[in-house]
Amino acid sequence: MPVPEMDVSPVKSLQWEVFPPMATCRVYCTPVLWGGRLYVMGGCSENGMPLDSVEVLDLESQSWCQLPPLPTARAGASAVALGDQLVVMGGMDAQQNPLASVEVYHPDEGKWERKTGLGQASMGITALEIDGKVYALGGMGSDTSPQALVRVYEPVKDQWLSLASMPTPRYGAFSFLHGNKLYVLGGRQGKMPVTAFEAFDLEMKSWTRYPCIPSRRAFSSCAATERAFYSLGGLQQPGPHNFYSRPHFVSTVEEYDSEQGVWLKPTRSSRMREKRADFVAGCLGGRVIVAGGLGNQPSPLASVESYNHVKRKWEAVVPMPTPRCSCTPLQTTNMLFLIGGVSQGPSNAVEALCLQESV
């Protein structure tokens, strides 16, 4: 069945909203959206040290407030909203060691509370809230090795339980919930990018392996729509057959069709318009969005493009107000936030690409 054209919103319905800047410039921070407020926690400062500072943006009044600091300064932590509290876990401390500590913020009381730790220290955890529980997948351990751990947090018991491990250990992976399955793509093992594509069945509590991402690229991004998964861009390492070439930026787009269960053969028009790595990817209005990052230019990219799956081609979107790479993304149904990151040094910019329904 052909997909109707109206599944894809017009490009002009995508516009940037610029919020007031954060008080603190930061990269590798941890955002959570809860109750109409954007909480930004921790991250890395200009001198490379982890931060304990917490700021909250009221989206309606567009004003920032400082909150009580994190009990443990951390960069690259993971966080989810769980009921009426925010759960922050793992990350890296000032000695660049992974953390096991878990802390909960109670917005109603304005207080932090320490909770049962992860058991094993981890940074680069992929975390999701599902049915009132926190699922924490993978991470990098104290010995810098990738982990295959799958842990679930039960808030009533303040207890972490272990589930069946991922077939492929990794950290910094991309995860997507579809139906009763938790899909995990990409990630890293040390300096090596991971191509494994796996899914955890929440009912059967078991893992299924899917065909791997066809090419191995560092600093790539992933996105998912109702019908497909995408592995996008990145830095291609030279292969063994081409020993002397350098790593190079690519515009590669690999699309996994969920119904057919295959990675589609790429076409010339399915490539991104610009080669980029270390960028943000998301979905708005039935389109895959890519924004910013690094390319073949001395400074970060401002360009934004969107993939129209009906035409199987990329279309230009209004550029980013503040060009950046290493931004922390936060996705809602009609907004894609880009928080902090790096412009010349760590940035305090907070901007969101918004889907204007009325256009």
Side-chain angles (χ1 to χ4, degrees):
M1 286 280 291
V3 177
E5 192 83 40
M6 60 189 174
D7 263 10
V8 178
S9 296
V11 169
K12 66 176 186 285
S13 66
L14 296 168
Q15 298 293 331
W16 285 96
E17 183 165 355
V18 178
F19 295 95
M22 297 181 283
T24 308
C25 294
R26 50 180 104 208
V27 64
Y28 310 129
C29 59
T30 307
V32 171
L33 196 62
W34 184 83
R37 295 177 161 205
L38 174 66
Y39 294 80
V40 182
M41 300 171 279
C44 211
S45 69
E46 291 179 78
N47 61 8
M49 294 301 284
L51 296 160
D52 63 3
S53 96
V54 180
E55 301 178 53
V56 62
L57 172 69
D58 185 297
L59 295 183
E60 197 172 341
S61 68
Q62 300 226 348
S63 58
W64 286 96
C65 291
Q66 289 286 135
L67 294 181
L70 285 159
T72 311
R74 53 181 89 212
S78 303
V80 297
L82 188 62
D84 59 355
Q85 54 194 28
L86 313 180
V87 182
V88 182
M89 65 209 91
M92 195 169 261
D93 67 13
Q95 286 71 48
Q96 297 198 326
N97 293 319
L99 292 160
S101 60
V102 175
E103 294 155 357
V104 165
Y105 183 69
H106 301 275
D108 297 345
E109 300 168 33
K111 285 184 188 166
W112 285 96
E113 183 184 1
R114 293 180 193 271
K115 294 288 187 177
T116 301
L118 290 163
Q120 290 190 46
S122 300
M123 68 149 290
I125 292 168
T126 298
L128 294 97
E129 181 276 329
I130 304 169
D131 297 333
K133 296 177 182 178
V134 181
Y135 286 77
L137 297 95
M140 185 182 83
S142 301
D143 58 357
T144 71
S145 65
Q147 298 168 329
L149 300 165
V150 179
R151 301 170 270 205
V152 62
Y153 180 67
E154 308 232 3
V156 178
K157 299 176 184 171
D158 183 25
Q159 187 178 20
W160 289 91
L161 303 172
S162 293
L163 298 177
S165 294
M166 294 191 290
T168 307
R170 53 179 121 182
Y171 61 92
F174 295 87
S175 61
F176 306 98
L177 182 64
H178 274 297
N180 67 339
K181 285 188 176 166
L182 181 50
Y183 292 85
V184 183
L185 283 92
R188 291 170 67 185
Q189 296 177 338
K191 292 182 178 175
M192 285 297 292
V194 171
T195 57
F197 176 24
E198 299 159 355
F200 183 70
D201 188 306
L202 294 163
E203 289 171 17
M204 306 297 289
K205 303 281 193 286
S206 62
W207 284 92
T208 303
R209 291 178 197 245
Y210 290 89
C212 286
I213 298 168
S215 66
R216 191 184 296 274
R217 289 161 279 119
F219 304 106
S220 59
S221 290
C222 294
T225 63
E226 286 300 314
R227 60 178 65 75
F229 295 92
Y230 297 85
S231 174
L232 306 152
L235 200 59
Q236 186 96 52
Q237 303 294 341
H241 57 280
N242 195 357
F243 187 72
Y244 295 104
S245 77
R246 292 181 166 170
H248 54 282
F249 294 105
V250 293
S251 54
T252 305
V253 173
E254 291 171 340
E255 178 180 353
Y256 181 83
D257 185 304
S258 302
E259 288 182 12
Q260 296 181 54
V262 293
W263 290 94
L264 301 178
K265 190 173 173 58
T267 62
R268 187 174 287 279
S269 69
S270 70
R271 286 187 205 148
M272 295 187 294
R273 298 158 74 110
E274 193 139 20
K275 297 176 179 182
R276 65 180 83 220
D278 195 16
F279 58 96
V280 163
C283 291
L284 290 169
R287 294 172 173 272
V288 174
I289 308 291
V290 297
L294 289 172
N296 293 319
Q297 295 177 14
S299 55
L301 300 169
S303 67
V304 181
E305 43 189 305
S306 69
Y307 184 64
N308 183 328
H309 69 86
V310 178
K311 297 177 180 174
R312 281 202 85 194
K313 72 170 198 175
W314 289 85
E315 297 166 340
V317 178
V318 183
M320 292 168 70
T322 311
R324 285 169 287 155
C325 62
S326 300
C327 296
T328 302
L330 184 73
Q331 170 92 55
T332 72
T333 308
N334 55 5
M335 295 176 91
L336 177 61
F337 287 88
L338 277 72
I339 301 156
V342 175
S343 45
Q344 286 168 316
S347 172
N348 60 358
V350 176
E351 297 160 353
L353 188 62
C354 303
L355 181 64
Q356 317 280 346
E357 295 291 1
S358 58
V359 174

